[in-house]
Amino acid sequence: MSKKDIASLVDDRPEDGVFRLHRSVFSDPEIFEMEMKYIFERNWVFLGLDSQVPHPHDYMTTTVGRHPVVVMRDGEGNLNAFINSCPHKGARLCHLAQGNRKIHVCQYHSWSFDSAGRIRGLKFKDDGQYSPAFDNDSHDLAALPRFEVYRGFMFGALSADVLPLSEYLGEARTFIDIAVDTSPQGLELVPGVVGFTFEGNWKLQLENCSDQYHFTSTHPSYLKVLDRRAEKGWEGTVRANVRGRGGRKAMQFPADGLEHIAGGSTSFEHGHNLNWNRRTVNDSHPLFERAEELKERFGEARRDWMFNTRNLTLFPNVQVAENASSQLRIIRPISVDRTEMLTYCIAPVGESAAARAQRIRQYEDFFNPSGLATPDDTINYEDCQDGHLNPVSPWLQGHARGMMLAGPDGDPFIDRLGVKALSSVIGGVELGDETIFHTYYRSWRALLQAGQRADEAAARSQPAPASARLVETVR
Amino acid sequence: MNQALTPAHAAEYLYREAHLLDRQRFDEWVDLYTSDAVYWIPAWKSEHQPTENPETELSLVYCASRNALVDRVWRLSSNLSVASMPLARTAHAVSNVIVEQAGDDTMDLRSSWTSHVYNPKYKSQHVYFGSYEHRLQRVDEGWKIARKKITLMNDFIPTVLDLYMV
């Protein structure tokens, strides 16, 4: 069990204007083990959208922490999540990313299970070889201790001791609502999944999505391509929703005393956050065809928020990035310096063919690891990871910008939604707030410390193993 | 060479395209394409099936004009993209070239390819591989590529995939 002093790695002194992270947070394998155990395996983790398993007997496979999981819809339409491992010898039960099966047969010894996870066939069970004790055991698939769905977003937990999902998501739910409400039928994933890896810690991805400060420095080639397209008026290139330098001036907001505000960042409890940029309601957004309808249904303020760029992180493993296009990202940590990403284009059900095609082109342009922007991010993560091992300058300086602005009040844009934030910052194009990361690391610290305390308490309540007692006696 | 292409000439055309990519002569490479060329790398929607319709399904790359390729090539040498500094070194091998259709003005080809990609910054390497489908088209000055579809078999991407790597 780890005795690592987690608090000593987060230098969190808001009263002194200080927030610093120790580099080992990104590079210490022992901390990574703790993250898997205490965050990913004892807390809510995003699994997928329920629209990925729309029909009876549909299933999809995923992971929670280091463990294979399968989500199944049973014959009555109920969703459940199970450990994707046969209770007999542990073989993986479902092998494909998704599919449809009434009966799942383990390929190793043919134990079979229905789509509700119940054992349906245990080969040669009735020939008298099993003891009554075995008969008394359940042979069903092991259900995840907690599984809940919020507006199509499915979450699971390997521990029963977690908050109700609605409480865990808290005020961040409003931004799931804003994304889902862009269509009366909700959201779907455009067919085609793009997976990639980077040789860096998973929290580099967590931060980058919330990091407005990097945009103009990491992506000048993308912005310049947009300018080139605008200058040349080129046919057959993608019309972007994100604007280059010239385009930004064209964003004319109403003269209401807030016209200088370009965007902001907002933090919520339990590690969730949002960074956003103002956009006018304009036809470079695929949603423009529904602008009036959405205004009628949800009011002008909420409709306008649908057009703002929004990067929502639901701690610890999912991000909904709606900026250049709309992306669902699932973060899967593999080791302290390796991360897998599963990425999808997420879109409102029922949008027109033209809007859908525009969304897909904008997506490929920006978000793909084969696109014009994401590779510049992920290479930066790898370069960061390189430096995170150095012992000479152990404290990072990347979490301080915005300390003079952050507070619980003072964001009229968030107020219009009736959302209560933990902390908010708004400002002009140069804002680049970094206090938005603090909620990640305060939750991170709390979960790791809670895990340590729980393990210590469990160890105290258990008698020490015989060998340890023997050592104690000899001493 | 504004004349009918023999299968051997067509195969050599593909080798020359790969050669231009490996030598990083990107302007010459782009010039192989017609102005309305379609350059397409589908994504995969399941273990067995790549996406089929770029208007309703996701692609890894879908460029609907030579202009879009010019944008991408410009970025590679712009010194503004950290993912392209330094450029990787690549070696393509194109093989198993099959002429699917040969007309007076068009020729459709299928082939297999591998591309060894070496990243000098991290001294790491990777092999991308898959199949090509080319449509060559006769134009005034010779033959150009009107359509190229790249099916990438190993689509779980180690950090970066750019046009010159596949």
Side-chain angles (χ1 to χ4, degrees):
Chain A
M1 186 198 334
S2 174
K3 296 282 186 197
K4 194 167 276 292
D5 182 3
I6 293 301
S8 73
L9 304 175
V10 185
D11 186 9
D12 183 7
R13 291 175 286 135
E15 64 286 359
D16 299 331
V18 173
F19 191 104
R20 301 190 304 174
L21 279 188
H22 196 274
R23 288 179 191 250
S24 64
V25 165
F26 296 90
S27 55
D28 182 342
E30 190 182 339
I31 288 176
F32 181 82
E33 285 300 309
M34 293 173 70
E35 291 174 339
M36 289 299 98
K37 197 169 158 191
Y38 299 145
I39 297 176
F40 280 81
E41 295 165 10
R42 284 192 196 172
N43 190 31
W44 287 109
V45 167
F46 177 77
L47 304 177
L49 296 186
D50 65 1
S51 60
Q52 292 176 265
V53 278
H55 307 298
H57 312 299
D58 279 351
Y59 71 89
M60 59 164 281
T61 54
T62 180
T63 54
V64 172
R66 293 165 289 196
H67 308 293
V69 164
V70 57
V71 177
M72 291 183 189
R73 196 181 282 278
D74 70 17
E76 276 79 58
N78 303 307
L79 284 168
N80 294 291
F82 304 99
I83 299 293
N84 185 13
S85 173
C86 180
H88 175 226
K89 298 280 264 189
R92 178 187 284 253
L93 185 66
C94 304
H95 298 263
L96 301 180
Q98 59 203 27
N100 181 286
R101 280 204 176 175
K102 281 185 185 168
I103 297 291
H104 298 266
V105 181
C106 179
Q107 88 277 15
Y108 199 3
H109 299 88
S110 295
W111 286 24
S112 61
F113 307 86
D114 65 19
S115 56
R118 292 173 298 225
I119 184 89
R120 292 295 292 269
L122 200 159
K123 189 171 72 170
F124 308 152
K125 176 156 187 301
D126 298 330
D127 64 356
Q129 300 193 53
Y130 285 110
S131 71
F134 180 87
D135 286 344
N136 288 337
D137 264 353
S138 166
H139 310 301
D140 296 342
L141 294 180
L144 260 58
R146 295 291 290 276
F147 173 78
E148 285 189 46
V149 185
Y150 180 76
R151 302 222 53 194
F153 285 62
M154 305 188 295
F155 292 82
L158 297 185
S159 164
D161 186 21
V162 294
L163 295 171
L165 181 64
S166 60
E167 202 177 316
Y168 178 70
L169 296 174
E171 296 285 294
R173 280 177 302 172
T174 298
F175 294 95
I176 300 178
D177 295 342
I178 284 174
V180 174
D181 286 338
T182 53
S183 161
Q185 297 98 46
L187 296 172
E188 64 186 352
L189 301 181
V190 173
V193 55
V194 175
F196 59 94
T197 51
F198 60 83
E199 305 302 311
N201 188 264
W202 63 282
K203 297 187 294 301
L204 292 161
Q205 172 61 49
L206 209 63
E207 286 196 13
N208 192 70
C209 181
S210 324
D211 179 352
Q212 204 66 40
Y213 193 41
H214 85 287
F215 190 76
T216 49
S217 4
T218 297
H219 302 300
S221 74
Y222 175 70
L223 293 171
K224 191 79 180 141
V225 163
L226 299 189
D227 286 345
R228 282 164 54 91
R229 290 177 188 164
E231 281 160 23
K232 295 172 193 279
W234 272 1
E235 290 293 314
T237 57
V238 179
R239 182 160 174 232
N241 175 39
V242 178
R243 302 300 178 88
R245 257 174 239 95
R248 197 178 281 278
K249 288 182 193 139
M251 287 290 178
Q252 293 294 330
F253 299 111
D256 56 2
L258 293 169
E259 62 272 17
H260 60 292
I261 298 298
S265 62
T266 299
S267 302
F268 306 105
E269 283 189 276
H270 310 304
H272 316 310
N273 67 29
L274 174 89
N275 88 67
W276 57 279
N277 273 297
R278 275 181 101 179
R279 289 285 182 270
T280 56
V281 175
N282 76 85
D283 67 352
S284 70
H285 199 298
L287 213 51
F288 188 69
E289 63 187 13
R290 282 180 169 164
E292 281 308 305
E293 172 199 331
L294 291 168
K295 183 174 154 187
E296 274 169 37
R297 282 174 63 98
F298 299 105
E300 193 166 5
R302 217 170 169 91
R303 187 278 310 266
D304 289 356
W305 262 101
M306 292 173 176
F307 281 79
N308 287 342
T309 69
R310 306 181 308 284
N311 295 322
L312 174 68
T313 299
L314 303 172
F315 189 82
N317 75 322
V318 64
Q319 301 181 316
V320 184
E322 303 207 49
N323 45 67
S325 175
S326 46
Q327 184 179 45
L328 181 77
R329 299 183 183 130
I330 304 171
I331 304 170
R332 183 184 177 205
I334 301 297
S335 65
V336 71
D337 55 3
R338 184 171 172 81
T339 305
E340 272 184 19
M341 300 292 302
L342 277 188
T343 59
Y344 300 88
C345 182
I346 188 170
V349 175
E351 67 184 340
S352 73
R356 178 60 58 91
Q358 181 186 14
R359 183 183 299 278
I360 292 171
R361 289 293 90 79
Q362 290 174 338
Y363 182 99
E364 292 153 357
D365 213 32
F366 189 87
F367 282 130
N368 271 341
S370 47
L372 299 170
T374 289
D376 292 322
D377 291 315
T378 44
I379 290 288
N380 274 330
Y381 308 165
E382 295 184 346
D383 285 352
C384 289
Q385 191 69 30
D386 257 13
H388 280 148
L389 293 165
N390 107 66
V392 179
S393 58
W395 292 97
L396 292 165
Q397 300 178 10
H399 305 81
R401 191 177 163 82
M403 290 289 280
M404 301 299 284
L405 300 175
D409 304 309
D411 184 341
F413 297 92
I414 294 289
D415 292 346
R416 286 173 195 169
L417 296 169
V419 168
K420 193 78 193 125
L422 204 56
S423 171
S424 272
V425 176
I426 56 172
V429 289
E430 291 168 0
L431 180 61
D433 174 50
E434 293 174 341
T435 67
I436 187 172
F437 308 137
H438 298 179
T439 189
Y440 291 151
Y441 295 103
R442 287 171 180 156
S443 295
W444 178 88
R445 178 179 59 195
L447 287 167
L448 294 189
Q449 290 178 328
Q452 284 179 316
R453 280 195 304 272
D455 278 5
E456 281 161 15
R460 275 197 302 274
S461 67
Q462 298 276 328
S467 58
R469 282 204 302 276
L470 185 63
V471 171
E472 289 296 315
T473 314
V474 170
R475 272 184 190 156
Chain B
M1 57 170 196
N2 188 5
Q3 52 194 315
L5 277 180
T6 65
H9 278 129
E12 192 179 322
Y13 196 105
L14 305 190
Y15 307 153
R16 285 193 183 282
E17 184 193 13
H19 176 76
L20 292 176
L21 289 172
D22 289 340
R23 288 287 166 272
Q24 303 182 350
R25 286 155 57 179
F26 298 133
D27 294 339
E28 290 170 70
W29 173 72
V30 164
D31 275 343
L32 297 179
Y33 286 77
T34 63
S35 62
D36 61 350
V38 170
Y39 178 102
W40 180 29
I41 311 177
W44 289 76
K45 50 188 171 184
S46 71
E47 285 78 358
H48 308 296
Q49 213 179 1
T51 55
E52 295 154 315
N53 183 348
E55 301 301 307
T56 58
E57 299 177 327
L58 199 66
S59 301
L60 283 165
V61 177
Y62 186 80
C63 290
S65 71
R66 184 173 58 201
N67 287 341
L69 298 177
V70 170
D71 270 353
R72 298 214 44 146
V73 162
W74 170 84
R75 175 173 173 271
L76 286 176
S77 48
S78 67
N79 286 328
L80 294 175
S81 156
V82 68
S84 317
M85 294 185 295
L87 288 172
R89 301 171 197 159
T90 64
H92 285 72
V94 183
S95 65
N96 305 8
V97 181
I98 294 169
V99 177
E100 287 282 340
Q101 179 272 129
D104 289 342
D105 296 321
T106 64
M107 180 178 260
D108 293 339
L109 302 162
R110 284 176 184 274
S111 56
S112 297
W113 61 274
T114 62
S115 173
H116 292 250
V117 179
Y118 174 69
N119 178 339
K121 182 158 77 171
Y122 291 115
K123 302 172 183 66
S124 60
Q125 52 199 323
H126 183 68
V127 181
Y128 286 118
F129 58 93
S131 62
Y132 291 144
E133 291 168 49
H134 282 82
R135 164 159 287 198
L136 304 183
Q137 187 173 310
R138 188 201 292 269
V139 295
D140 289 343
E141 58 273 39
W143 288 78
K144 291 207 169 187
I145 302 168
R147 187 170 187 277
K148 181 178 184 181
K149 178 180 172 186
I150 303 174
T151 303
L152 177 70
M153 299 304 178
N154 52 341
D155 69 320
F156 213 91
I157 292 169
T159 317
V160 180
L161 180 147
D162 215 319
L163 303 193
Y164 69 105
M165 300 176 181
V166 294

Coordinates of all heavy atoms in Angstrom, one line a residue, chain A residues 140 179 187 252 290 382 387 392 417 426 445:
Chain A
D140 N -23.8 -16.2 -13.0 CA -24.1 -15.1 -13.9 C -22.9 -14.2 -14.2 O -21.9 -14.3 -13.4 CB -25.2 -14.2 -13.4 CG -26.5 -15.0 -13.2 OD1 -26.7 -16.0 -13.8 OD2 -27.4 -14.5 -12.4
A179 N -25.7 20.1 -25.2 CA -25.3 19.3 -26.3 C -26.4 18.4 -26.8 O -26.7 18.3 -28.0 CB -24.0 18.5 -26.0
L187 N -28.3 12.8 -29.4 CA -27.1 12.7 -30.1 C -26.8 11.3 -30.6 O -27.2 10.3 -30.0 CB -25.9 13.2 -29.2 CG -26.0 14.6 -28.7 CD1 -24.9 14.8 -27.7 CD2 -25.8 15.6 -29.9
Q252 N -19.1 40.0 -34.5 CA -19.7 41.2 -33.9 C -20.8 40.9 -32.9 O -21.8 40.4 -33.2 CB -20.3 42.1 -35.1 CG -19.4 42.6 -36.1 CD -18.4 43.7 -35.5 OE1 -18.8 44.4 -34.5 NE2 -17.2 43.8 -36.0
R290 N -31.1 25.1 -37.7 CA -32.1 24.9 -36.7 C -32.1 26.1 -35.7 O -32.7 26.0 -34.6 CB -31.8 23.7 -35.8 CG -32.2 22.4 -36.5 CD -31.8 21.2 -35.7 NE -32.5 20.0 -36.2 CZ -32.1 18.8 -35.9 NH1 -31.1 18.6 -35.0 NH2 -32.7 17.7 -36.4
E382 N 3.9 14.7 -25.9 CA 5.1 13.8 -25.8 C 6.3 14.6 -25.4 O 7.1 14.1 -24.6 CB 5.3 13.1 -27.2 CG 4.1 12.1 -27.5 CD 4.3 11.3 -28.7 OE1 5.2 11.6 -29.6 OE2 3.5 10.4 -28.9
G387 N 10.1 16.0 -20.5 CA 10.6 16.9 -19.5 C 10.1 16.6 -18.1 O 10.6 17.1 -17.1
V392 N 15.6 18.5 -11.7 CA 16.2 19.8 -11.3 C 15.2 20.9 -11.1 O 15.3 21.7 -10.2 CB 17.2 20.2 -12.4 CG1 17.8 21.5 -12.1 CG2 18.2 19.1 -12.6
L417 N -27.8 30.8 -17.7 CA -28.2 29.4 -17.8 C -28.7 28.9 -16.4 O -29.2 27.8 -16.3 CB -27.1 28.5 -18.2 CG -26.5 28.7 -19.7 CD1 -25.2 27.9 -19.9 CD2 -27.6 28.3 -20.7
I426 N -14.0 35.1 -17.0 CA -14.3 35.5 -18.4 C -13.3 36.6 -18.8 O -12.7 37.2 -18.0 CB -15.8 36.0 -18.6 CG1 -16.0 37.2 -17.6 CG2 -16.8 34.9 -18.4 CD1 -17.4 37.9 -17.8
R445 N -6.5 14.8 -6.0 CA -5.9 14.7 -4.7 C -6.9 14.1 -3.7 O -6.6 13.2 -3.0 CB -5.5 16.1 -4.2 CG -4.9 16.2 -2.8 CD -4.5 17.6 -2.5 NE -5.7 18.5 -2.5 CZ -5.6 19.8 -2.5 NH1 -4.4 20.4 -2.5 NH2 -6.7 20.6 -2.6

